[in-house]
Amino acid sequence: MISDLQQVFSANAKSMQKSVIRELLKLTRRPEVISFAGGLPDPAAFPVDQVAEITADVLRRDGALALQYSPTEGDPRLKEELIAHHEREDGIHLSPENILITVASQQGLDLVSKIFIDPGDPVIVGLPSYVGGLGAFRNYGADMIGVSLDDSGMRMDLLERELERLRERGKKPKFIYVVPDFQNPAGITMSEERRLRLISLARRYDVLILEDSPYKELRYEGEPQTSLFALDGAGQVIGLHTFSKILFPGMRLGWAIADEAIIQKLVIAKQSTDLCTPAFTQAIVAEFASRGLLNEVIENVKSIYREKRELMLAALDEHMPDLPGLSWTRPEGGLFLWVRLPEHMDADELFYEAIEQNVAFVIGAAFHCDGSGTNTMRLNFSFPTKDDIVEGVKRLARVIAEHDAKLKEGADVVISP
Ligand SMILES: Cc1ncc(COP(=O)(O)O)c(C=O)c1O
């Protein structure tokens, strides 16, 4: 090993930070811990037999192509399936030039950051926001500006204030990052009024919108909202999508949709990252979709998660202590709900007490670019079993009640490292 490795790392690498979530998740892996911490799909929903059959068919029929390098832009057959998917979902008319197939949406976040962010560039994010998005923007040196959400999504009055403040300083954010449907982490969906206002503000201040949309198809109740990309229709929005939550994450397959000029730049950025998304996985998923199986799987996933969401909400209603300021979101879809603890409670302290009681969650501060949100936590309901959802909520409720009692007594709270 060379003498001073740390000095050899680039400024970029030096500023990279470990993900708080990934570190905390290590603590939740003991088998006795019921974890609401991860964001994993339920493996019961994976169409293993169908994938096995299709994989064999793809290899037999198209093996030479499927095992070869492929165009950076993506498999034309998969693109055709995605064009049809967006047409059905949102009435969006895309051409193949508007699509880049990515190694799931995390790569989309990285590539978008790579082509837009110079160190110090402002980027607007929600308070809270998906932690992997924050990590990608941070790695390219973004100056992240947080805008709070309420039950209808990002607060447009606050967004306008930030945009105005930046304009007065002669600055313009590179983009506004939003997860408008069943947001990770808060489970909140942006109302149509907010969507329209967001687009109008983006136009007025001449800023791009980055719409990250892994969960839109997973709606369990209520009316679907039109995507920002469809509402805009004028190239102001970049959309990131993924098969991770609607199908399975193991193939690492997603796609970006945008104006052709942006896609072309993303293609160049991707070439130096990985040349192309694997032809093999693209061929399998294209075949899967062309057999009409995608919707079948999505319906199955929805029925599983709908039930689990109901169960978690019912368990929270039944077991959570009645404390002023303790509340949680009732997401209409997605994988997560968001708990707000009484103001004086610190989710970080609670986390270690919860681990001792064999239940885990993710602390909300990890999703806040400014370190706020210390009295919030994210709960996942897609991965734990139904029995674990009920038992885990009981344990969590007990931990919160005991923590509150301790605080009231003024007793010292034991914080394990
Ligand atoms: C909002 C959001 N964006 C992107 C991702 C990354 O997903 P993937 O890379 O598996 O598509 C996730 C994963 O949980 C997410 O919640």
Side-chain angles (χ1 to χ4, degrees):
M1 178 55 80
I2 60 171
S3 57
D4 196 354
L5 181 64
Q6 293 309 317
Q7 284 315 308
V8 185
F9 285 134
S10 67
N12 203 6
K14 279 182 198 139
S15 71
M16 288 176 186
Q17 294 168 11
K18 273 188 184 167
S19 155
V20 182
I21 292 199
R22 310 247 175 276
E23 290 307 298
L24 290 183
L25 282 181
K26 286 184 194 160
L27 294 176
T28 70
R29 289 215 187 98
R30 290 201 324 262
E32 60 276 23
V33 173
I34 295 177
S35 179
F36 299 141
L40 305 184
D42 186 338
F46 296 161
V48 177
D49 292 341
Q50 286 163 326
V51 174
E53 189 185 315
I54 287 173
T55 303
D57 290 350
V58 162
L59 281 174
R60 234 176 278 122
R61 198 187 59 202
D62 299 322
L65 274 178
L67 299 181
Q68 190 53 280
Y69 287 109
S70 60
T72 309
E73 291 81 351
D75 178 339
R77 243 186 103 211
L78 181 57
K79 286 191 178 191
E80 285 310 318
E81 293 299 334
L82 294 174
I83 289 170
H85 175 77
H86 281 291
E87 182 99 43
R88 273 195 309 272
E89 270 283 311
D90 250 347
I92 303 174
H93 308 296
L94 294 169
S95 73
E97 290 71 32
N98 297 122
I99 305 178
L100 168 67
I101 309 292
T102 58
V103 177
S105 46
Q106 191 62 40
Q107 183 176 61
L109 288 164
D110 183 65
L111 294 177
V112 166
S113 304
K114 195 172 178 181
I115 68 166
F116 286 114
I117 301 175
D118 287 316
D121 278 346
V123 165
I124 299 215
V125 300
L127 288 173
S129 269
Y130 167 56
V131 73
L134 300 182
F137 311 149
R138 192 176 291 121
N139 279 354
Y140 288 88
D143 173 18
M144 282 182 283
I145 298 164
V147 174
S148 296
L149 312 186
D150 64 15
D151 289 345
S152 306
M154 187 179 272
R155 292 243 326 250
M156 291 301 130
D157 54 335
L158 300 181
L159 173 64
E160 185 168 7
R161 205 167 71 192
E162 288 303 338
L163 290 168
E164 198 51 45
R165 207 172 53 84
L166 285 167
R167 178 181 271 181
E168 280 161 14
R169 287 163 43 209
K171 293 198 164 189
K172 200 162 86 166
K174 283 296 171 81
F175 50 79
I176 302 164
Y177 173 62
V178 284
V179 182
D181 297 274
F182 324 121
Q183 196 231 29
N184 178 5
I188 288 167
T189 296
M190 193 184 280
S191 67
E192 183 174 83
E193 190 201 329
R194 290 273 169 96
R195 289 175 197 238
L196 292 171
R197 182 114 177 82
L198 173 57
I199 290 166
S200 111
L201 282 175
R203 288 200 181 140
R204 174 138 56 94
Y205 287 87
D206 199 30
V207 180
L208 290 168
I209 297 169
L210 180 57
E211 177 178 38
D212 188 4
S213 190
Y215 307 106
K216 186 171 189 303
E217 291 87 346
L218 303 182
R219 174 174 278 281
Y220 318 131
E221 66 173 3
E223 285 303 305
Q225 291 285 350
T226 310
S227 68
L228 291 164
F229 192 97
L231 287 172
D232 165 54
Q236 197 101 11
V237 180
I238 302 167
L240 296 181
H241 300 266
T242 177
F243 287 106
S244 289
K245 304 297 167 30
I246 53 176
L247 197 51
F248 40 76
M251 285 199 184
R252 311 302 299 127
L253 211 50
W255 65 102
I257 57 175
D259 183 82
E260 202 178 325
I262 294 177
I263 293 292
Q264 281 170 6
K265 197 54 108 179
L266 288 171
V267 168
I268 297 169
K270 182 172 163 65
Q271 273 160 359
S272 64
T273 298
D274 61 359
L275 300 180
C276 59
T277 300
F280 192 23
T281 52
Q282 294 187 74
I284 293 167
V285 173
E287 182 62 24
F288 198 91
S290 78
R291 293 187 190 182
L293 297 172
L294 197 53
N295 281 345
E296 217 175 83
V297 174
I298 292 175
E299 286 310 314
N300 184 36
V301 169
K302 277 167 44 175
S303 73
I304 295 173
Y305 295 174
R306 182 183 288 117
E307 207 181 322
K308 288 186 166 187
R309 181 203 69 144
E310 287 306 312
L311 206 57
M312 185 172 268
L313 285 171
L316 287 164
D317 288 340
E318 187 179 342
H319 300 292
M320 275 293 182
D322 189 11
L323 298 177
L326 176 62
S327 64
W328 48 91
T329 53
R330 307 188 84 86
E332 294 184 327
L335 270 55
F336 306 104
L337 59 82
W338 186 246
V339 177
R340 188 167 287 283
L341 298 161
E343 239 9 274
H344 60 282
M345 269 194 201
D346 185 337
D348 206 11
E349 288 174 4
L350 208 63
F351 176 81
Y352 294 102
E353 293 173 10
I355 287 289
E356 278 168 24
Q357 301 285 329
N358 292 328
V359 60
F361 54 83
V362 183
I363 55 165
F367 303 95
H368 290 71
C369 66
D370 60 359
S372 62
T374 51
N375 65 325
T376 56
M377 63 169 83
R378 187 191 75 178
L379 303 183
N380 165 261
F381 55 80
S382 59
F383 187 72
T385 63
K386 288 193 250 173
D387 285 350
D388 279 355
I389 287 177
V390 176
E391 178 56 28
V393 168
K394 277 188 200 165
R395 290 181 195 173
L396 187 60
R398 203 166 49 233
V399 171
I400 292 174
E402 285 172 6
H403 189 78
D404 181 63
K406 264 194 241 172
L407 289 179
K408 282 189 181 132
E409 280 165 19
D412 283 342
V413 178
V414 180
I415 308 172
S416 329

